Short mmCIF file of all heavy atoms in Angstrom, two decimals:
data_model
loop_
_atom_site.label_atom_id
_atom_site.label_comp_id
_atom_site.label_asym_id
_atom_site.label_seq_id
_atom_site.Cartn_x
_atom_site.Cartn_y
_atom_site.Cartn_z
N GLN A 90 -60.55 59.39 52.52
CA GLN A 90 -62.01 59.26 52.54
C GLN A 90 -62.44 57.95 51.90
O GLN A 90 -63.35 57.29 52.40
CB GLN A 90 -62.65 60.44 51.82
CG GLN A 90 -62.55 61.73 52.59
CD GLN A 90 -62.99 62.94 51.79
OE1 GLN A 90 -62.92 62.95 50.56
NE2 GLN A 90 -63.43 63.97 52.49
N LYS A 91 -61.80 57.57 50.81
CA LYS A 91 -62.13 56.28 50.16
C LYS A 91 -61.86 55.12 51.10
O LYS A 91 -62.66 54.19 51.21
CB LYS A 91 -61.31 56.10 48.89
CG LYS A 91 -61.72 57.01 47.75
CD LYS A 91 -60.80 56.81 46.57
CE LYS A 91 -61.05 57.82 45.47
NZ LYS A 91 -60.10 57.67 44.36
N GLU A 92 -60.72 55.17 51.79
CA GLU A 92 -60.35 54.10 52.71
C GLU A 92 -61.34 54.00 53.87
O GLU A 92 -61.77 52.92 54.24
CB GLU A 92 -58.93 54.37 53.22
CG GLU A 92 -58.30 53.21 53.92
CD GLU A 92 -56.85 53.49 54.30
OE1 GLU A 92 -56.31 54.55 53.97
OE2 GLU A 92 -56.26 52.60 54.94
N ILE A 93 -61.72 55.14 54.42
CA ILE A 93 -62.69 55.16 55.52
C ILE A 93 -64.05 54.67 55.04
O ILE A 93 -64.70 53.86 55.71
CB ILE A 93 -62.78 56.56 56.15
CG1 ILE A 93 -61.48 56.87 56.90
CG2 ILE A 93 -63.99 56.69 57.07
CD1 ILE A 93 -61.33 58.30 57.36
N LEU A 94 -64.47 55.12 53.88
CA LEU A 94 -65.77 54.69 53.34
C LEU A 94 -65.78 53.18 53.10
O LEU A 94 -66.74 52.50 53.46
CB LEU A 94 -66.08 55.45 52.05
CG LEU A 94 -67.45 55.17 51.44
CD1 LEU A 94 -68.57 55.53 52.41
CD2 LEU A 94 -67.61 55.94 50.14
N ARG A 95 -64.71 52.64 52.53
CA ARG A 95 -64.63 51.18 52.33
C ARG A 95 -64.70 50.44 53.66
O ARG A 95 -65.38 49.42 53.78
CB ARG A 95 -63.34 50.82 51.59
CG ARG A 95 -63.40 51.09 50.10
CD ARG A 95 -62.21 50.47 49.37
NE ARG A 95 -60.95 51.09 49.74
CZ ARG A 95 -60.36 52.07 49.06
NH1 ARG A 95 -60.91 52.55 47.98
NH2 ARG A 95 -59.22 52.57 49.48
N ALA A 96 -64.00 50.96 54.68
CA ALA A 96 -64.02 50.32 55.99
C ALA A 96 -65.42 50.36 56.60
O ALA A 96 -65.89 49.37 57.17
CB ALA A 96 -63.01 50.99 56.92
N VAL A 97 -66.11 51.49 56.47
CA VAL A 97 -67.48 51.61 57.00
C VAL A 97 -68.39 50.61 56.30
O VAL A 97 -69.17 49.90 56.94
CB VAL A 97 -68.02 53.05 56.82
CG1 VAL A 97 -69.52 53.11 57.09
CG2 VAL A 97 -67.28 54.02 57.72
N ILE A 98 -68.27 50.51 54.99
CA ILE A 98 -69.13 49.60 54.23
C ILE A 98 -68.82 48.15 54.61
O ILE A 98 -69.74 47.36 54.84
CB ILE A 98 -68.98 49.84 52.72
CG1 ILE A 98 -69.59 51.21 52.37
CG2 ILE A 98 -69.66 48.73 51.92
CD1 ILE A 98 -69.31 51.67 50.95
N ARG A 99 -67.53 47.79 54.69
CA ARG A 99 -67.18 46.41 55.08
C ARG A 99 -67.73 46.07 56.46
O ARG A 99 -68.30 45.00 56.66
CB ARG A 99 -65.66 46.24 55.08
CG ARG A 99 -65.10 45.89 53.72
CD ARG A 99 -63.63 45.51 53.83
NE ARG A 99 -62.91 46.44 53.00
CZ ARG A 99 -61.96 47.27 53.40
NH1 ARG A 99 -61.56 47.27 54.65
NH2 ARG A 99 -61.38 48.09 52.58
N GLU A 100 -67.53 46.99 57.40
CA GLU A 100 -68.00 46.75 58.76
C GLU A 100 -69.53 46.64 58.80
O GLU A 100 -70.08 45.79 59.48
CB GLU A 100 -67.51 47.89 59.66
CG GLU A 100 -67.70 47.64 61.12
CD GLU A 100 -66.82 46.53 61.67
OE1 GLU A 100 -65.88 46.07 60.99
OE2 GLU A 100 -67.08 46.11 62.82
N PHE A 101 -70.22 47.50 58.06
CA PHE A 101 -71.67 47.45 58.01
C PHE A 101 -72.15 46.14 57.40
O PHE A 101 -73.11 45.53 57.88
CB PHE A 101 -72.21 48.64 57.21
CG PHE A 101 -73.70 48.60 57.01
CD1 PHE A 101 -74.55 48.88 58.06
CD2 PHE A 101 -74.25 48.26 55.79
CE1 PHE A 101 -75.93 48.83 57.90
CE2 PHE A 101 -75.61 48.22 55.61
CZ PHE A 101 -76.46 48.50 56.67
N MET A 102 -71.47 45.68 56.37
CA MET A 102 -71.87 44.43 55.72
C MET A 102 -71.65 43.22 56.64
O MET A 102 -72.41 42.27 56.62
CB MET A 102 -71.13 44.26 54.40
CG MET A 102 -71.60 45.28 53.36
SD MET A 102 -70.61 45.31 51.88
CE MET A 102 -71.12 43.80 51.08
N GLU A 103 -70.63 43.28 57.47
CA GLU A 103 -70.34 42.18 58.41
C GLU A 103 -71.28 42.18 59.60
O GLU A 103 -71.73 41.14 60.04
CB GLU A 103 -68.89 42.28 58.92
CG GLU A 103 -67.85 41.91 57.89
CD GLU A 103 -66.44 42.06 58.43
OE1 GLU A 103 -66.27 42.18 59.67
OE2 GLU A 103 -65.51 42.07 57.62
N GLU A 104 -71.55 43.36 60.15
CA GLU A 104 -72.28 43.46 61.41
C GLU A 104 -73.74 43.89 61.26
O GLU A 104 -74.52 43.72 62.18
CB GLU A 104 -71.57 44.43 62.36
CG GLU A 104 -70.12 44.09 62.64
CD GLU A 104 -69.95 42.78 63.39
OE1 GLU A 104 -70.86 42.42 64.18
OE2 GLU A 104 -68.93 42.11 63.17
N ALA A 105 -74.09 44.51 60.13
CA ALA A 105 -75.44 45.04 59.89
C ALA A 105 -75.86 46.00 61.00
O ALA A 105 -77.01 46.03 61.42
CB ALA A 105 -76.45 43.91 59.73
N GLU A 106 -74.89 46.79 61.47
CA GLU A 106 -75.15 47.80 62.49
C GLU A 106 -74.42 49.07 62.12
O GLU A 106 -73.50 49.06 61.31
CB GLU A 106 -74.64 47.33 63.87
CG GLU A 106 -75.39 46.15 64.42
CD GLU A 106 -74.88 45.73 65.79
OE1 GLU A 106 -73.91 46.35 66.28
OE2 GLU A 106 -75.44 44.80 66.36
N GLU A 107 -74.83 50.17 62.77
CA GLU A 107 -74.14 51.44 62.55
C GLU A 107 -72.68 51.31 62.95
O GLU A 107 -72.33 50.57 63.87
CB GLU A 107 -74.84 52.53 63.35
CG GLU A 107 -76.26 52.77 62.86
CD GLU A 107 -77.02 53.72 63.74
OE1 GLU A 107 -76.64 53.93 64.90
OE2 GLU A 107 -78.02 54.26 63.25
N VAL A 108 -71.82 52.03 62.26
CA VAL A 108 -70.38 51.92 62.44
C VAL A 108 -69.85 53.18 63.10
O VAL A 108 -70.10 54.28 62.62
CB VAL A 108 -69.69 51.70 61.08
CG1 VAL A 108 -68.19 51.58 61.26
CG2 VAL A 108 -70.26 50.48 60.37
N GLY A 109 -69.12 53.01 64.20
CA GLY A 109 -68.52 54.14 64.90
C GLY A 109 -67.04 54.26 64.61
O GLY A 109 -66.38 53.31 64.17
N SER A 110 -66.50 55.44 64.86
CA SER A 110 -65.10 55.71 64.58
C SER A 110 -64.17 54.85 65.42
O SER A 110 -63.13 54.39 64.94
CB SER A 110 -64.78 57.19 64.78
OG SER A 110 -65.08 57.58 66.11
N LEU A 111 -64.52 54.59 66.67
CA LEU A 111 -63.65 53.77 67.53
C LEU A 111 -63.53 52.34 67.01
O LEU A 111 -62.44 51.76 67.04
CB LEU A 111 -64.17 53.76 68.97
CG LEU A 111 -63.94 55.03 69.76
CD1 LEU A 111 -64.58 54.93 71.14
CD2 LEU A 111 -62.46 55.34 69.88
N SER A 112 -64.62 51.79 66.51
CA SER A 112 -64.55 50.43 65.98
C SER A 112 -63.67 50.37 64.74
O SER A 112 -62.96 49.39 64.51
CB SER A 112 -65.94 49.87 65.69
OG SER A 112 -66.56 50.59 64.66
N LEU A 113 -63.67 51.44 63.95
CA LEU A 113 -62.80 51.47 62.77
C LEU A 113 -61.33 51.56 63.18
O LEU A 113 -60.48 50.89 62.59
CB LEU A 113 -63.16 52.64 61.87
CG LEU A 113 -64.54 52.59 61.21
CD1 LEU A 113 -64.75 53.82 60.34
CD2 LEU A 113 -64.73 51.32 60.40
N VAL A 114 -61.04 52.36 64.20
CA VAL A 114 -59.66 52.48 64.69
C VAL A 114 -59.16 51.14 65.21
O VAL A 114 -58.03 50.74 64.95
CB VAL A 114 -59.55 53.57 65.79
CG1 VAL A 114 -58.23 53.50 66.52
CG2 VAL A 114 -59.75 54.94 65.19
N GLU A 115 -60.02 50.44 65.95
CA GLU A 115 -59.63 49.16 66.55
C GLU A 115 -59.47 48.05 65.52
O GLU A 115 -58.60 47.20 65.65
CB GLU A 115 -60.67 48.74 67.59
CG GLU A 115 -60.69 49.66 68.80
CD GLU A 115 -61.87 49.40 69.71
OE1 GLU A 115 -62.70 48.51 69.42
OE2 GLU A 115 -61.96 50.10 70.73
N LYS A 116 -60.29 48.05 64.49
CA LYS A 116 -60.32 46.91 63.57
C LYS A 116 -59.50 47.12 62.30
O LYS A 116 -59.00 46.17 61.72
CB LYS A 116 -61.77 46.60 63.21
CG LYS A 116 -61.94 45.30 62.49
CD LYS A 116 -63.39 44.88 62.44
CE LYS A 116 -63.53 43.55 61.74
NZ LYS A 116 -64.90 43.10 61.71
N TYR A 117 -59.36 48.37 61.85
CA TYR A 117 -58.69 48.65 60.58
C TYR A 117 -57.47 49.53 60.82
O TYR A 117 -57.51 50.43 61.66
CB TYR A 117 -59.65 49.34 59.61
CG TYR A 117 -60.86 48.50 59.28
CD1 TYR A 117 -62.03 48.62 60.02
CD2 TYR A 117 -60.83 47.57 58.26
CE1 TYR A 117 -63.14 47.84 59.74
CE2 TYR A 117 -61.94 46.78 57.97
CZ TYR A 117 -63.09 46.93 58.72
OH TYR A 117 -64.18 46.15 58.44
N ASP A 118 -56.43 49.28 60.10
CA ASP A 118 -55.21 50.07 60.22
C ASP A 118 -55.30 51.29 59.31
O ASP A 118 -54.73 51.30 58.23
CB ASP A 118 -54.01 49.20 59.87
CG ASP A 118 -52.69 49.93 60.05
OD1 ASP A 118 -52.65 50.88 60.86
OD2 ASP A 118 -51.71 49.55 59.38
N LEU A 119 -56.04 52.29 59.75
CA LEU A 119 -56.26 53.48 58.93
C LEU A 119 -55.20 54.55 59.14
O LEU A 119 -55.11 55.50 58.38
CB LEU A 119 -57.65 54.05 59.20
CG LEU A 119 -58.82 53.11 58.87
CD1 LEU A 119 -60.13 53.70 59.35
CD2 LEU A 119 -58.87 52.83 57.38
N GLY A 120 -54.42 54.41 60.20
CA GLY A 120 -53.32 55.33 60.45
C GLY A 120 -53.72 56.72 60.90
O GLY A 120 -52.93 57.65 60.81
N VAL A 121 -54.97 56.87 61.38
CA VAL A 121 -55.45 58.16 61.87
C VAL A 121 -56.24 57.94 63.15
O VAL A 121 -56.64 56.82 63.47
CB VAL A 121 -56.32 58.89 60.82
CG1 VAL A 121 -55.49 59.28 59.61
CG2 VAL A 121 -57.51 58.06 60.40
N SER A 122 -56.47 59.02 63.89
CA SER A 122 -57.21 58.94 65.15
C SER A 122 -58.71 58.83 64.91
O SER A 122 -59.20 59.09 63.81
CB SER A 122 -56.94 60.19 65.98
OG SER A 122 -57.54 61.32 65.37
N SER A 123 -59.43 58.47 65.97
CA SER A 123 -60.89 58.38 65.85
C SER A 123 -61.49 59.76 65.58
O SER A 123 -62.49 59.88 64.89
CB SER A 123 -61.50 57.76 67.11
OG SER A 123 -61.22 58.55 68.24
N ALA A 124 -60.86 60.83 66.09
CA ALA A 124 -61.35 62.19 65.82
C ALA A 124 -61.23 62.52 64.34
O ALA A 124 -62.15 63.12 63.74
CB ALA A 124 -60.58 63.20 66.65
N THR A 125 -60.13 62.12 63.73
CA THR A 125 -59.95 62.35 62.30
C THR A 125 -60.98 61.57 61.50
O THR A 125 -61.56 62.09 60.54
CB THR A 125 -58.52 61.96 61.86
OG1 THR A 125 -57.59 62.78 62.58
CG2 THR A 125 -58.31 62.13 60.37
N ILE A 126 -61.23 60.34 61.92
CA ILE A 126 -62.24 59.52 61.23
C ILE A 126 -63.61 60.18 61.36
O ILE A 126 -64.36 60.26 60.38
CB ILE A 126 -62.25 58.07 61.78
CG1 ILE A 126 -60.95 57.37 61.38
CG2 ILE A 126 -63.47 57.31 61.28
CD1 ILE A 126 -60.76 56.02 61.98
N ARG A 127 -63.95 60.68 62.54
CA ARG A 127 -65.24 61.36 62.72
C ARG A 127 -65.34 62.58 61.81
O ARG A 127 -66.39 62.82 61.20
CB ARG A 127 -65.44 61.77 64.18
CG ARG A 127 -65.87 60.62 65.07
CD ARG A 127 -66.33 61.10 66.44
NE ARG A 127 -65.30 61.82 67.17
CZ ARG A 127 -64.34 61.25 67.90
NH1 ARG A 127 -64.28 59.92 67.98
NH2 ARG A 127 -63.46 61.97 68.55
N ASN A 128 -64.26 63.35 61.71
CA ASN A 128 -64.27 64.53 60.83
C ASN A 128 -64.49 64.13 59.38
O ASN A 128 -65.24 64.78 58.64
CB ASN A 128 -62.96 65.32 60.97
CG ASN A 128 -62.87 66.05 62.29
OD1 ASN A 128 -63.88 66.36 62.91
ND2 ASN A 128 -61.66 66.30 62.74
N GLU A 129 -63.82 63.06 58.95
CA GLU A 129 -63.99 62.59 57.57
C GLU A 129 -65.40 62.04 57.36
O GLU A 129 -65.99 62.21 56.30
CB GLU A 129 -62.94 61.54 57.22
CG GLU A 129 -61.53 62.07 57.15
CD GLU A 129 -61.27 63.03 55.99
OE1 GLU A 129 -62.18 63.33 55.20
OE2 GLU A 129 -60.12 63.48 55.87
N MET A 130 -65.97 61.41 58.39
CA MET A 130 -67.34 60.89 58.28
C MET A 130 -68.33 62.04 58.09
O MET A 130 -69.29 61.90 57.32
CB MET A 130 -67.71 60.07 59.52
CG MET A 130 -67.06 58.72 59.59
SD MET A 130 -67.49 57.93 61.17
CE MET A 130 -67.49 56.22 60.68
N VAL A 131 -68.09 63.16 58.75
CA VAL A 131 -68.95 64.34 58.57
C VAL A 131 -68.88 64.81 57.12
O VAL A 131 -69.92 65.13 56.51
CB VAL A 131 -68.55 65.47 59.55
CG1 VAL A 131 -69.24 66.77 59.21
CG2 VAL A 131 -68.86 65.07 60.99
N LYS A 132 -67.69 64.85 56.56
CA LYS A 132 -67.54 65.25 55.16
C LYS A 132 -68.25 64.27 54.23
O LYS A 132 -68.91 64.67 53.27
CB LYS A 132 -66.06 65.34 54.79
CG LYS A 132 -65.34 66.46 55.49
CD LYS A 132 -63.85 66.43 55.19
CE LYS A 132 -63.10 67.45 56.03
NZ LYS A 132 -61.64 67.34 55.85
N LEU A 133 -68.13 62.97 54.53
CA LEU A 133 -68.80 61.95 53.71
C LEU A 133 -70.32 62.05 53.84
O LEU A 133 -71.05 61.79 52.89
CB LEU A 133 -68.30 60.55 54.09
CG LEU A 133 -66.84 60.27 53.73
CD1 LEU A 133 -66.35 59.00 54.41
CD2 LEU A 133 -66.66 60.19 52.22
N MET A 134 -70.79 62.45 55.02
CA MET A 134 -72.24 62.69 55.18
C MET A 134 -72.66 63.86 54.31
O MET A 134 -73.72 63.81 53.68
CB MET A 134 -72.57 62.96 56.65
CG MET A 134 -72.51 61.73 57.53
SD MET A 134 -72.85 62.10 59.26
CE MET A 134 -74.55 62.64 59.16
N GLY A 135 -71.85 64.90 54.26
CA GLY A 135 -72.15 66.06 53.43
C GLY A 135 -72.21 65.72 51.96
O GLY A 135 -72.93 66.37 51.19
N LEU A 136 -71.48 64.69 51.56
CA LEU A 136 -71.49 64.23 50.17
C LEU A 136 -72.61 63.23 49.89
O LEU A 136 -72.76 62.74 48.78
CB LEU A 136 -70.14 63.60 49.82
CG LEU A 136 -68.94 64.54 49.83
CD1 LEU A 136 -67.64 63.75 49.68
CD2 LEU A 136 -69.08 65.57 48.72
N GLY A 137 -73.38 62.89 50.94
CA GLY A 137 -74.49 61.96 50.77
C GLY A 137 -74.08 60.51 50.76
O GLY A 137 -74.85 59.66 50.31
N LEU A 138 -72.88 60.20 51.28
CA LEU A 138 -72.40 58.82 51.26
C LEU A 138 -72.60 58.09 52.58
O LEU A 138 -72.59 56.87 52.63
CB LEU A 138 -70.91 58.80 50.87
CG LEU A 138 -70.63 59.34 49.47
CD1 LEU A 138 -69.13 59.47 49.25
CD2 LEU A 138 -71.27 58.44 48.42
N LEU A 139 -72.75 58.85 53.66
CA LEU A 139 -73.03 58.27 54.98
C LEU A 139 -74.21 59.00 55.58
O LEU A 139 -74.49 60.15 55.26
CB LEU A 139 -71.81 58.42 55.91
CG LEU A 139 -70.55 57.66 55.56
CD1 LEU A 139 -69.47 57.96 56.59
CD2 LEU A 139 -70.79 56.18 55.44
N GLU A 140 -74.88 58.30 56.50
CA GLU A 140 -75.98 58.90 57.24
C GLU A 140 -75.98 58.31 58.64
O GLU A 140 -75.32 57.31 58.89
CB GLU A 140 -77.32 58.63 56.55
CG GLU A 140 -77.66 57.17 56.43
CD GLU A 140 -78.90 56.90 55.57
OE1 GLU A 140 -79.41 57.84 54.95
OE2 GLU A 140 -79.35 55.75 55.55
N LYS A 141 -76.68 58.97 59.55
CA LYS A 141 -76.82 58.40 60.89
C LYS A 141 -78.25 58.56 61.34
O LYS A 141 -78.93 59.52 60.98
CB LYS A 141 -75.82 58.98 61.87
CG LYS A 141 -75.93 60.44 62.17
CD LYS A 141 -74.79 60.78 63.12
CE LYS A 141 -74.96 62.15 63.72
NZ LYS A 141 -73.96 62.41 64.74
N SER A 142 -78.69 57.58 62.13
CA SER A 142 -80.10 57.57 62.51
C SER A 142 -80.36 58.28 63.83
O SER A 142 -81.47 58.70 64.09
CB SER A 142 -80.61 56.13 62.58
OG SER A 142 -79.86 55.40 63.53
N HIS A 143 -79.33 58.43 64.67
CA HIS A 143 -79.48 59.09 65.97
C HIS A 143 -78.31 60.05 66.17
O HIS A 143 -77.24 59.88 65.58
CB HIS A 143 -79.50 58.08 67.12
CG HIS A 143 -80.58 57.06 67.00
ND1 HIS A 143 -81.92 57.38 67.10
CD2 HIS A 143 -80.54 55.74 66.76
CE1 HIS A 143 -82.64 56.27 66.94
NE2 HIS A 143 -81.82 55.27 66.72
N ILE A 144 -78.49 61.01 67.05
CA ILE A 144 -77.45 62.02 67.28
C ILE A 144 -76.14 61.38 67.74
O ILE A 144 -75.07 61.73 67.27
CB ILE A 144 -77.94 63.07 68.30
CG1 ILE A 144 -79.03 63.91 67.65
CG2 ILE A 144 -76.80 63.93 68.80
CD1 ILE A 144 -79.67 64.91 68.57
N SER A 145 -76.19 60.43 68.64
CA SER A 145 -74.95 59.86 69.19
C SER A 145 -74.60 58.50 68.58
O SER A 145 -73.81 57.76 69.14
CB SER A 145 -75.08 59.71 70.71
OG SER A 145 -76.12 58.80 71.01
N SER A 146 -75.17 58.18 67.46
CA SER A 146 -74.94 56.87 66.87
C SER A 146 -73.80 56.90 65.86
O SER A 146 -73.29 57.94 65.49
CB SER A 146 -76.21 56.39 66.17
OG SER A 146 -76.49 57.24 65.08
N GLY A 147 -73.43 55.71 65.40
CA GLY A 147 -72.45 55.58 64.34
C GLY A 147 -73.09 55.92 63.00
O GLY A 147 -74.21 56.43 62.94
N ARG A 148 -72.35 55.64 61.96
CA ARG A 148 -72.84 55.97 60.62
C ARG A 148 -73.21 54.73 59.83
O ARG A 148 -72.71 53.64 60.08
CB ARG A 148 -71.75 56.70 59.85
CG ARG A 148 -71.58 58.20 60.00
CD ARG A 148 -71.81 58.75 61.34
NE ARG A 148 -71.45 60.16 61.43
CZ ARG A 148 -70.73 60.66 62.42
NH1 ARG A 148 -70.26 59.90 63.36
NH2 ARG A 148 -70.50 61.95 62.48
N LEU A 149 -74.07 54.95 58.84
CA LEU A 149 -74.50 53.92 57.91
C LEU A 149 -74.17 54.37 56.50
O LEU A 149 -74.33 55.55 56.18
CB LEU A 149 -76.02 53.71 58.00
CG LEU A 149 -76.60 53.30 59.34
CD1 LEU A 149 -78.11 53.44 59.33
CD2 LEU A 149 -76.20 51.88 59.67
N PRO A 150 -73.76 53.46 55.63
CA PRO A 150 -73.56 53.84 54.23
C PRO A 150 -74.91 54.05 53.56
O PRO A 150 -75.87 53.35 53.84
CB PRO A 150 -72.81 52.65 53.63
CG PRO A 150 -73.13 51.50 54.52
CD PRO A 150 -73.39 52.06 55.88
N THR A 151 -74.98 55.02 52.67
CA THR A 151 -76.20 55.26 51.90
C THR A 151 -76.21 54.34 50.68
O THR A 151 -75.21 53.69 50.36
CB THR A 151 -76.26 56.72 51.42
OG1 THR A 151 -75.17 56.96 50.54
CG2 THR A 151 -76.23 57.70 52.59
N ASP A 152 -77.34 54.30 50.01
CA ASP A 152 -77.42 53.52 48.77
C ASP A 152 -76.38 53.99 47.76
O ASP A 152 -75.78 53.20 47.05
CB ASP A 152 -78.82 53.63 48.16
CG ASP A 152 -79.87 52.91 48.98
OD1 ASP A 152 -79.51 52.05 49.81
OD2 ASP A 152 -81.07 53.20 48.79
N GLN A 153 -76.18 55.30 47.70
CA GLN A 153 -75.19 55.86 46.78
C GLN A 153 -73.78 55.34 47.10
O GLN A 153 -73.02 54.99 46.21
CB GLN A 153 -75.20 57.39 46.88
CG GLN A 153 -74.23 58.08 45.97
CD GLN A 153 -74.26 59.60 46.13
OE1 GLN A 153 -75.01 60.13 46.96
NE2 GLN A 153 -73.47 60.28 45.36
N ALA A 154 -73.44 55.25 48.38
CA ALA A 154 -72.13 54.73 48.79
C ALA A 154 -71.99 53.25 48.42
O ALA A 154 -70.94 52.82 47.93
CB ALA A 154 -71.93 54.91 50.29
#
Side-chain angles (χ1 to χ4, degrees):
Q90 288 171 334
K91 289 177 187 176
E92 193 175 357
I93 290 170
L94 184 60
R95 282 191 294 264
V97 168
I98 291 171
R99 275 189 240 120
E100 191 69 12
F101 175 73
M102 291 171 74
E103 287 178 15
E104 303 295 329
E106 293 181 358
E107 296 173 340
V108 180
S110 58
L111 286 176
S112 65
L113 294 180
V114 167
E115 292 170 359
K116 191 167 182 178
Y117 299 92
D118 183 25
L119 298 172
V121 294
S122 69
S123 61
T125 299
I126 292 173
R127 281 192 300 277
N128 288 335
E129 293 292 1
M130 286 175 149
V131 169
K132 292 175 187 175
L133 292 167
M134 287 178 65
L136 295 171
L138 297 172
L139 294 179
E140 61 188 8
K141 64 182 192 173
S142 59
H143 303 293
I144 290 176
S145 63
S146 66
R148 276 37 172 227
L149 301 167
T151 64
D152 290 342
Q153 180 181 2

